[in-house]
Amino acid sequence: MKNCRKYKRQYFLPPVTCMDWAEKDYIDKAPVWCSVDLRDGNQALVIPMNLSQKIEFFKLLVEIGFKEIEVGFPAASETEYTFLRTLIEENLIPDDVTIQVLTQARPHIIQRTFEAVKGAKNVIVHVYNSTSVAQREQVFKKSKEEILQIAIEGAKLLKELTEEAGADYRFEYSPESFTGTEPEYALEVCNAVLDIWKPASDRKAIINLPVTVQHSMPHVYASQVEYMCKNLKYRENVVVSLHPHNDRGCGVADSEMGLLAGADRIEGTLFGNGERTGNVDIVTLALNMYSQGVEPNLDFTHMTHICEQYEKFTGMKINERSPYSGALVFAAFSGSHQDAIAKGMHWLEEEKPEHWTVPYLPIDPTDLGRNYDADVIRINSQSGKGGVGYILETKFGLNLPPKMREAMGYTAKAVSDHTQKELLPEEIFELFKRTFEHVVSPLDVTEVHFQQTKGGFSTEVTSSFNGKVLTAKGEGNGRLDAVSNALKKAYGFQFDLVTYQEHALEQSSSSKAIAYVGIKKPDGSLAWGAGVDSDIIHASIDALVTAINNR
């Protein structure tokens, strides 16, 4: 890098830090959520949403469970204004949902905002002005006193216009660029605003502390939030809100630590869409809580639908590795991961524990409407026996012996490696049948007769090998052993029958059964075969023939 010394830290530590928040290890209740997708999210799009898209997005947010939704900056454009009026005039806002509108602390913009919200039942008017050192010096060229006066005048006008309208609008104030503002000055401005509004228990004010630009590590922001929470006037009647952006990639961490530090509310967007690197991702934040056993009060049980709708409305794409929502976040390609997940799932079925503890899966994918077969165990050249075995067992009812599962795993890996593609469950099943089931060349058994003897069974086997037909007799302690010995005698095969396993494929009187046979070759390696038939003896012989052909 050319010259890191051109940069310096642009944040300010509070004059007093106590770090009480650092003693907490988790967030024990959900915050008040406010979606700003229709404002922050919309203004960050290359092509902003049109009216119909915004209406449908609003309905989606209501469906998910948001009770506070920032619908836009109605004084900013005719589209924003029309959207808000459409929501109000067409009665699209549920009685339990509060809309929030944004305005700068400028008289004509505040006036236009109040015109836009006329007739709405539940409204938060969110006023802001910038307070940071950089903004004061470079943009506004005003002193602290002058910036403070802007906030005071804006707060007064909100109160006056609300009283004139005979409404009970709630108020929110943001010292924009809070993270670049001296905390004691931010506190002075916020307290001056609160002195005008005089919030009460039945009409609380919101003080929003935005991470307009991330300048510090999350623990610094938490200390700033804690300082504000401990020193704001009327604290019992103030909702402390956070609005983190993600410039340093710490939006979620800022939010979580800020909540530990005393904040009550989060403003963010679905999937983190917002200016520059985005806003805090509410999906991630809410489901982090969910994974700790805390009800987030937002419903993401139909995640695929939410993702599809979001991409349709915004034109954005959700990254495949985006936490919880990405198409591949539950997918395990690694053999060791697949094996652990498969064993964990079996353990859950057997032990039925109270809590979810499956390795590599922080939450149950089915809670988000995801499917184990399609979304969790995925097979490619990095996969192993556990994943292949799990798919064959759960999707097709095949419970392979452990060593055969290993052989099938290597077979699938080899095909995936050669074709350079992921194998779908149906392709894995077809590969299993093609490799381990009904392989009748060069050996094929065409006729078998049994006779029970004092020591077991004798058999007469008619078979062909490379086109040559032979009939041979054999004896054994079981039918399969007798057939094996007859084939060894006929062709001089050298192997030991070491594994035999069977199970039903269907639960009915006419169900078919599958048999698995493993034979050990002279070099110590194993060869495998499987047979499927309504007669288990026929299935066993078919499995033995395939194993011999695979030796």
Side-chain angles (χ1 to χ4, degrees), residues 8 10-11 177-180 210-218 221 224 243-255 276-280:
K8 70 171 184 176
Q10 297 184 52
Y11 59 85
S177 59
F178 167 75
T179 46
V211 185
T212 308
V213 179
Q214 278 184 337
H215 293 305
S216 68
M217 289 189 284
Y221 179 58
Q224 295 166 338
H243 183 112
H245 282 248
N246 201 42
D247 301 87
R248 290 168 58 96
C250 300
V252 170
D254 277 347
S255 300
R276 305 183 308 280
T277 57
N279 288 43
V280 64

Side-chain angles (χ1 to χ4, degrees), residues 12-21 183 219-228 230-231:
F12 301 89
L13 285 168
V16 179
T17 57
C18 66
M19 299 283 284
D20 284 347
W21 64 269
H219 76 284
V220 173
Y221 179 58
S223 294
Q224 295 166 338
V225 171
E226 184 178 55
Y227 171 76
M228 296 292 287
K230 287 181 179 293
N231 292 282

Side-chain angles (χ1 to χ4, degrees), residues 6-301:
K6 71 187 288 186
Y7 301 103
K8 70 171 184 176
R9 291 180 289 278
Q10 297 184 52
Y11 59 85
F12 301 89
L13 285 168
V16 179
T17 57
C18 66
M19 299 283 284
D20 284 347
W21 64 269
E23 296 179 4
K24 304 173 186 176
D25 65 334
Y26 76 104
I27 299 161
D28 60 3
K29 66 177 181 179
V32 176
W33 301 105
C34 178
S35 163
V36 295
D37 288 273
L38 298 171
R39 199 268 301 180
D40 269 41
N42 186 57
Q43 74 179 15
L45 298 176
V46 175
I47 302 175
M49 290 179 280
N50 59 35
L51 179 61
S52 63
Q53 289 172 325
K54 293 188 79 170
I55 290 172
E56 290 305 309
F57 202 159
F58 178 82
K59 292 177 180 178
L60 176 65
L61 294 170
V62 170
E63 182 184 314
I64 290 169
F66 286 97
K67 300 303 180 185
E68 295 183 3
I69 301 172
E70 188 164 89
V71 294
F73 195 138
S77 71
E78 195 59 35
T79 301
E80 295 278 284
Y81 187 92
T82 301
F83 170 56
L84 176 52
R85 293 311 307 164
T86 301
L87 291 177
I88 296 169
E89 292 167 10
E90 295 188 11
N91 198 29
L92 297 175
I93 306 168
D95 288 344
D96 63 344
V97 171
T98 298
I99 59 168
Q100 180 171 302
V101 289
L102 185 68
T103 176
Q104 291 173 326
R106 299 170 66 185
H108 70 286
I109 295 178
I110 293 174
Q111 291 275 4
R112 179 68 168 165
T113 302
F114 272 76
E115 292 171 15
V117 299
K118 187 176 181 180
K121 182 176 181 181
N122 300 311
V123 179
I124 296 170
V125 183
H126 180 186
V127 64
Y128 73 93
N129 66 300
S130 215
T131 58
S132 69
V133 174
Q135 293 268 15
R136 295 195 314 257
E137 292 179 349
Q138 300 170 36
V139 180
F140 299 105
K141 302 185 187 302
K142 291 183 182 294
S143 67
K144 285 183 176 180
E145 291 72 20
E146 291 172 308
I147 294 294
L148 172 62
Q149 198 58 37
I150 292 174
I152 290 173
E153 293 303 320
K156 286 180 178 178
L157 187 53
L158 255 64
K159 187 174 182 181
E160 290 170 9
L161 292 176
T162 298
E163 290 171 352
E164 286 178 14
D168 292 322
Y169 301 151
R170 293 172 59 202
F171 303 139
E172 175 175 350
Y173 173 71
S174 288
E176 195 208 2
S177 59
F178 167 75
T179 46
T181 304
E182 306 92 322
E184 54 269 49
Y185 176 60
L187 179 67
E188 179 186 354
V189 175
C190 291
N191 278 336
V193 168
L194 292 171
D195 278 336
I196 294 164
W197 289 342
K198 292 183 169 48
S201 59
D202 61 344
R203 195 172 167 198
K204 293 185 177 182
I206 301 170
I207 293 295
N208 189 51
L209 306 176
V211 185
T212 308
V213 179
Q214 278 184 337
H215 293 305
S216 68
M217 289 189 284
H219 76 284
V220 173
Y221 179 58
S223 294
Q224 295 166 338
V225 171
E226 184 178 55
Y227 171 76
M228 296 292 287
C229 287
K230 287 181 179 293
N231 292 282
L232 280 169
K233 292 183 177 181
Y234 314 95
R235 179 63 182 96
E236 69 278 9
N237 296 323
V238 172
V239 175
V240 175
S241 177
L242 310 180
H243 183 112
H245 282 248
N246 201 42
D247 301 87
R248 290 168 58 96
C250 300
V252 170
D254 277 347
S255 300
E256 291 181 328
M257 291 188 182
L259 289 171
L260 291 178
D264 311 295
R265 182 176 184 265
I266 294 289
E267 294 186 350
T269 60
L270 296 180
F271 314 112
N273 176 42
E275 292 178 287
R276 305 183 308 280
T277 57
N279 288 43
V280 64
D281 181 344
I282 286 183
V283 172
T284 299
L285 191 56
L287 291 174
N288 279 355
M289 295 178 193
Y290 183 73
S291 73
Q292 301 292 305
V294 177
E295 171 55 57
N297 297 326
L298 294 174
D299 185 359
F300 295 113
T301 54

Side-chain angles (χ1 to χ4, degrees), residues 25 113 176 179 310 314 322 326 355 414 509:
D25 65 334
T113 302
E176 195 208 2
T179 46
Y310 170 84
T314 67
S322 182
H355 298 110
S509 59

Side-chain angles (χ1 to χ4, degrees), residues 333 373-375 377-380 388 391-392 395-396 408 412 415-416 419 421-432:
F333 292 103
D373 295 335
D375 297 307
I377 303 295
R378 307 275 292 269
I379 305 303
N380 64 14
V388 172
I391 285 177
L392 290 175
K395 196 167 182 64
F396 303 104
M408 180 59 199
V415 171
S416 178
T419 59
K421 65 186 284 287
E422 178 186 357
L423 299 182
L424 300 176
E426 290 73 17
E427 293 175 306
I428 294 166
F429 184 48
E430 288 302 318
L431 179 60
F432 171 81

